[in-house]
Coordinates of all heavy atoms in Angstrom, one line a residue:
S1 N 23.2 -32.2 -23.2 CA 23.3 -31.1 -22.3 C 24.7 -30.5 -22.2 O 25.7 -31.1 -22.8 CB 22.9 -31.5 -20.8 OG 23.7 -32.6 -20.4
G2 N 24.8 -29.4 -21.6 CA 26.2 -28.8 -21.5 C 26.3 -27.8 -22.6 O 25.4 -26.9 -22.9
S3 N 27.4 -27.8 -23.4 CA 27.7 -26.8 -24.4 C 27.0 -27.2 -25.7 O 27.6 -27.4 -26.7 CB 29.2 -26.7 -24.6 OG 29.9 -26.3 -23.5
I4 N 25.7 -27.2 -25.6 CA 24.9 -27.7 -26.8 C 24.9 -26.7 -27.9 O 24.6 -27.1 -29.1 CB 23.5 -28.0 -26.3 CG1 22.8 -26.8 -25.7 CG2 23.5 -29.2 -25.3 CD1 21.4 -27.0 -25.3
F5 N 25.2 -25.4 -27.7 CA 25.0 -24.4 -28.8 C 26.0 -24.7 -29.9 O 25.8 -24.2 -31.0 CB 25.3 -23.0 -28.1 CG 26.7 -22.9 -27.5 CD1 27.7 -22.4 -28.3 CD2 26.9 -23.2 -26.3 CE1 28.9 -22.3 -27.8 CE2 28.1 -23.1 -25.7 CZ 29.2 -22.6 -26.5
S6 N 27.1 -25.4 -29.6 CA 28.0 -25.7 -30.6 C 27.9 -27.0 -31.3 O 28.8 -27.3 -32.1 CB 29.5 -25.5 -30.0 OG 29.6 -26.5 -29.0
I7 N 26.9 -27.8 -30.9 CA 26.7 -29.1 -31.6 C 26.3 -28.9 -33.0 O 25.4 -28.2 -33.3 CB 25.7 -29.9 -30.8 CG1 26.2 -30.2 -29.4 CG2 25.4 -31.2 -31.6 CD1 25.2 -31.0 -28.5
T8 N 27.0 -29.6 -33.8 CA 26.6 -29.6 -35.3 C 25.9 -31.0 -35.6 O 24.7 -31.2 -35.5 CB 27.7 -29.4 -36.2 OG1 28.8 -30.3 -35.9 CG2 28.3 -27.9 -36.0
T9 N 26.7 -31.9 -36.0 CA 26.2 -33.3 -36.4 C 25.9 -34.1 -35.2 O 26.8 -34.1 -34.2 CB 27.0 -34.0 -37.4 OG1 27.1 -33.1 -38.6 CG2 26.5 -35.3 -37.8
M10 N 24.8 -34.8 -35.1 CA 24.6 -35.9 -34.1 C 24.3 -37.2 -34.8 O 23.9 -37.2 -36.0 CB 23.4 -35.5 -33.2 CG 23.6 -34.3 -32.4 SD 22.3 -33.9 -31.2 CE 22.7 -35.1 -29.9
G11 N 24.5 -38.3 -34.1 CA 24.3 -39.5 -34.8 C 24.3 -40.7 -33.8 O 24.4 -40.6 -32.6
W12 N 24.2 -41.8 -34.4 CA 24.1 -43.1 -33.7 C 25.1 -44.0 -34.3 O 25.3 -44.1 -35.6 CB 22.7 -43.7 -33.7 CG 21.7 -43.0 -32.9 CD1 20.9 -42.1 -33.5 CD2 21.4 -43.2 -31.6 NE1 20.1 -41.5 -32.5 CE2 20.4 -42.3 -31.3 CE3 21.9 -44.0 -30.5 CZ2 19.9 -42.1 -30.0 CZ3 21.3 -43.8 -29.3 CH2 20.3 -42.9 -29.1
Y13 N 25.8 -44.7 -33.5 CA 26.8 -45.8 -33.9 C 26.4 -47.0 -33.0 O 25.7 -47.0 -32.1 CB 28.3 -45.4 -33.5 CG 28.8 -44.3 -34.2 CD1 28.4 -43.0 -34.2 CD2 29.8 -44.5 -35.2 CE1 28.8 -41.9 -35.0 CE2 30.4 -43.5 -35.9 CZ 29.9 -42.2 -35.8 OH 30.5 -41.2 -36.6
R14 N 26.9 -48.2 -33.5 CA 26.6 -49.4 -32.8 C 27.9 -50.3 -32.7 O 28.7 -50.3 -33.7 CB 25.4 -50.1 -33.3 CG 25.6 -50.7 -34.7 CD 24.2 -51.3 -35.2 NE 24.4 -51.9 -36.5 CZ 23.3 -52.4 -37.2 NH1 22.1 -52.3 -36.7 NH2 23.6 -53.0 -38.4
Q15 N 28.0 -51.1 -31.7 CA 29.1 -52.1 -31.6 C 28.6 -53.4 -31.1 O 28.0 -53.5 -30.0 CB 30.1 -51.5 -30.6 CG 31.4 -52.3 -30.6 CD 32.5 -51.5 -29.9 OE1 32.3 -50.6 -29.2 NE2 33.7 -51.9 -30.1
A16 N 28.7 -54.4 -32.0 CA 28.3 -55.8 -31.6 C 29.6 -56.5 -30.9 O 30.6 -56.0 -31.1 CB 27.9 -56.5 -32.8
P17 N 29.3 -57.4 -30.1 CA 30.4 -58.1 -29.4 C 31.5 -58.5 -30.4 O 31.2 -59.2 -31.4 CB 29.7 -59.3 -28.7 CG 28.3 -58.9 -28.6 CD 28.0 -58.0 -29.7
G18 N 32.7 -58.2 -30.1 CA 33.8 -58.7 -30.9 C 34.1 -57.8 -32.2 O 34.9 -58.3 -33.0
K19 N 33.2 -56.8 -32.4 CA 33.3 -56.1 -33.6 C 33.6 -54.7 -33.4 O 33.5 -54.2 -32.2 CB 32.0 -56.2 -34.4 CG 31.7 -57.7 -34.9 CD 30.5 -57.7 -35.8 CE 30.3 -59.1 -36.3 NZ 29.1 -59.1 -37.3
Q20 N 34.0 -53.9 -34.4 CA 34.3 -52.5 -34.2 C 33.0 -51.7 -34.2 O 31.9 -52.2 -34.5 CB 35.1 -52.0 -35.4 CG 34.3 -52.0 -36.8 CD 35.2 -51.6 -37.9 OE1 36.5 -51.6 -37.9 NE2 34.6 -51.1 -39.0
R21 N 33.1 -50.5 -33.7 CA 32.0 -49.6 -33.6 C 31.7 -49.0 -35.0 O 32.6 -48.4 -35.6 CB 32.2 -48.4 -32.6 CG 31.0 -47.6 -32.4 CD 31.4 -46.6 -31.3 NE 31.8 -47.2 -30.0 CZ 31.9 -46.6 -28.9 NH1 31.8 -45.3 -28.8 NH2 32.2 -47.2 -27.7
D22 N 30.5 -49.2 -35.5 CA 30.1 -48.7 -36.9 C 29.1 -47.6 -36.8 O 28.2 -47.6 -35.9 CB 29.6 -49.9 -37.7 CG 30.7 -51.0 -38.0 OD1 31.8 -50.6 -38.2 OD2 30.3 -52.2 -38.0
L23 N 29.1 -46.8 -37.8 CA 28.2 -45.7 -38.0 C 26.8 -46.4 -38.4 O 26.7 -47.2 -39.3 CB 28.6 -44.8 -39.1 CG 27.6 -43.7 -39.6 CD1 27.4 -42.7 -38.4 CD2 28.1 -42.9 -40.7
V24 N 25.8 -45.8 -37.8 CA 24.4 -46.3 -38.1 C 23.7 -45.1 -38.9 O 23.2 -45.4 -40.0 CB 23.6 -46.6 -36.9 CG1 22.1 -46.9 -37.3 CG2 24.2 -47.8 -36.1
A25 N 23.6 -43.9 -38.3 CA 23.0 -42.8 -39.0 C 23.4 -41.5 -38.4 O 23.8 -41.5 -37.2 CB 21.5 -43.0 -38.9
T26 N 23.4 -40.5 -39.1 CA 23.7 -39.1 -38.7 C 22.7 -38.1 -39.1 O 22.0 -38.4 -40.2 CB 25.1 -38.6 -39.1 OG1 25.1 -38.6 -40.6 CG2 26.2 -39.5 -38.6
I27 N 22.6 -37.0 -38.5 CA 21.8 -35.9 -38.9 C 22.4 -34.6 -38.5 O 23.0 -34.4 -37.4 CB 20.4 -36.0 -38.1 CG1 19.4 -35.0 -38.7 CG2 20.5 -36.0 -36.6 CD1 18.0 -35.2 -38.3
T28 N 22.4 -33.7 -39.5 CA 23.0 -32.4 -39.2 C 22.1 -31.4 -38.5 O 20.9 -31.8 -38.3 CB 23.5 -31.7 -40.5 OG1 22.3 -31.4 -41.2 CG2 24.4 -32.7 -41.3
S29 N 22.5 -30.3 -38.1 CA 21.7 -29.3 -37.4 C 20.6 -28.8 -38.4 O 19.5 -28.4 -38.0 CB 22.5 -28.2 -36.8 OG 23.3 -27.5 -37.9
G30 N 20.9 -28.9 -39.7 CA 19.9 -28.5 -40.7 C 19.0 -29.6 -41.1 O 18.1 -29.3 -41.9
G31 N 19.1 -30.8 -40.6 CA 18.2 -31.9 -40.9 C 18.7 -32.8 -42.0 O 17.9 -33.8 -42.3
D32 N 19.9 -32.7 -42.6 CA 20.4 -33.6 -43.6 C 20.8 -34.9 -42.9 O 21.4 -34.9 -41.8 CB 21.6 -33.0 -44.3 CG 21.2 -31.8 -45.1 OD1 20.1 -31.8 -45.6 OD2 22.0 -30.9 -45.2
T33 N 20.3 -36.0 -43.5 CA 20.6 -37.3 -42.8 C 21.4 -38.2 -43.7 O 21.5 -38.1 -44.9 CB 19.2 -38.0 -42.6 OG1 18.6 -38.2 -43.9 CG2 18.4 -37.3 -41.6

């Protein structure tokens, strides 16, 4: 929500205890994953 018109890529990251935050998956506004 908010300034959604300018969002391009969205994605998911995860962080396990004691570890860094890592990329899981991304998707562009055009659907590329």
Side-chain angles (χ1 to χ4, degrees):
S1 60
S3 301
I4 57 176
F5 60 91
S6 59
I7 293 176
T8 55
T9 299
M10 297 187 74
W12 292 92
Y13 290 69
R14 68 186 183 186
Q15 187 168 18
K19 295 189 176 181
Q20 66 182 21
R21 189 175 298 187
D22 292 325
L23 173 66
V24 175
T26 61
I27 185 167
T28 68
S29 55
D32 294 326
T33 58

